[in-house]
Amino acid sequence: MRLKVAAEGNAEKNINVIVPRFQAEALRLLRGYDVGILWNAFYSDDDKTGAKRSEKMQDNWGIDLTNSKAGEIIIFPGMATAYGYDIISDENVHLTAMLPSAGQKYIYVYLEWDFSNPDEAVGKIDIHDNGVNENWTPSKQDNLINNPIGIYQMILWRIRINYRGDISDQTRWGVFGTPTIEHPLYAQNCNQTKYSTYAKYEGTGTYESTIAECLNDIYAKLEGLGF
């Protein structure tokens, strides 16, 4: 199924004019990663500061295999990024896998960023049938900064299914080395720094205290010593 790709362009002329290198550089500074699954929390309507956030009811790129005996795989909405491009799915995607004629086999669900057409960015979610082989490394994993007309594939799920449609294993992206990007890597909640804990400081009688408490305790001791 075709997915949306976040990119600047001209819809009438079918031109994608995003500059992936600069976009990727900016996102790397913010997110700390070139590639990953984007967390699914959003600002709540009742708190515009962002101090309180509410998550979607379903997991990001979650999976539903309740109808696996018919080969049906449902993937929930989600967001992912690769080298300056974000892929977005805002509805459930229904995929159909062919059951093995005997025994069991492995099915992979993956995302794909395809820029082989320089005038159009194409994103999709699809199935790779890996047969009886448990391991699969996508053959198309170009660095889209260095190769602006490349293709990048990202594993979402691996499913082990038998000829009856029974699922004996479902493994998601983290096992295959793809991180979930939950917050800015080096700047999480900067406005809350003064409340953060200082590990293993026991001056106030507790194992962990806030930075402000630790400093106040040190200042009090210095004053007591006449400084």
Side-chain angles (χ1 to χ4, degrees):
M1 177 178 176
R2 185 161 173 158
L3 303 178
K4 300 174 184 176
V5 178
E8 180 185 0
N10 185 316
E12 293 183 358
K13 294 183 178 180
N14 196 33
I15 294 175
N16 163 38
V17 295
I18 195 171
V19 181
R21 178 174 180 80
F22 295 110
Q23 179 77 356
E25 293 286 356
L27 292 179
R28 182 190 293 117
L29 290 174
L30 179 65
R31 296 170 176 169
Y33 297 95
D34 289 320
V35 173
I37 301 295
L38 299 177
W39 192 39
N40 62 334
F42 300 92
Y43 294 134
S44 63
D45 294 334
D46 60 346
D47 190 339
K48 303 303 182 184
T49 68
K52 297 179 181 178
R53 296 193 290 180
S54 55
E55 295 184 56
K56 293 187 297 186
M57 294 298 293
Q58 298 172 323
D59 288 338
N60 218 25
W61 301 113
I63 192 168
D64 182 349
L65 296 169
T66 55
N67 198 25
S68 62
K69 294 188 183 303
E72 184 180 43
I73 300 170
I74 300 175
I75 303 296
F76 301 151
M79 302 178 293
T81 190
Y83 300 105
Y85 292 94
D86 291 342
I87 270 183
I88 306 102
S89 174
D90 52 11
E91 61 184 359
N92 288 352
V93 176
H94 294 255
L95 303 168
T96 303
M98 292 291 294
L99 299 182
S101 57
Q104 62 184 17
K105 67 179 178 180
Y106 291 89
I107 301 293
Y108 281 83
V109 179
Y110 68 96
L111 298 175
E112 182 176 282
W113 290 252
D114 185 350
F115 302 110
S116 56
N117 176 353
D119 292 330
E120 183 180 23
V122 177
K124 74 172 182 178
I125 183 170
D126 209 344
I127 286 176
H128 171 77
D129 188 329
N130 211 46
V132 298
N133 192 347
E134 178 180 3
N135 299 311
W136 176 60
T137 299
S139 59
K140 300 175 181 179
Q141 289 193 310
D142 294 327
N143 181 323
L144 301 176
I145 301 172
N146 299 329
N147 184 0
I149 57 171
I151 297 175
Y152 186 86
Q153 296 171 329
M154 175 192 295
I155 295 173
L156 283 181
W157 291 94
R158 181 185 65 194
I159 302 158
R160 185 169 62 206
I161 189 169
N162 67 15
Y163 68 96
R164 294 188 299 267
D166 299 323
I167 304 296
S168 54
D169 175 69
Q170 57 187 65
T171 304
R172 71 177 191 166
W173 56 85
V175 172
F176 306 105
T178 300
T180 298
I181 304 172
E182 298 187 9
H183 49 70
L185 186 60
Y186 302 112
Q188 183 183 15
N189 299 327
C190 284
N191 60 332
Q192 300 297 318
T193 299
K194 66 180 181 180
Y195 300 111
S196 299
T197 56
Y198 185 91
K200 299 183 180 179
Y201 182 78
E202 303 182 42
T204 58
T206 59
Y207 186 75
E208 289 189 347
S209 304
T210 65
I211 291 175
E213 289 171 343
C214 295
L215 291 175
N216 288 337
D217 188 53
I218 292 171
Y219 293 155
K221 288 180 178 179
L222 289 174
E223 287 181 355
L225 294 172
F227 291 96

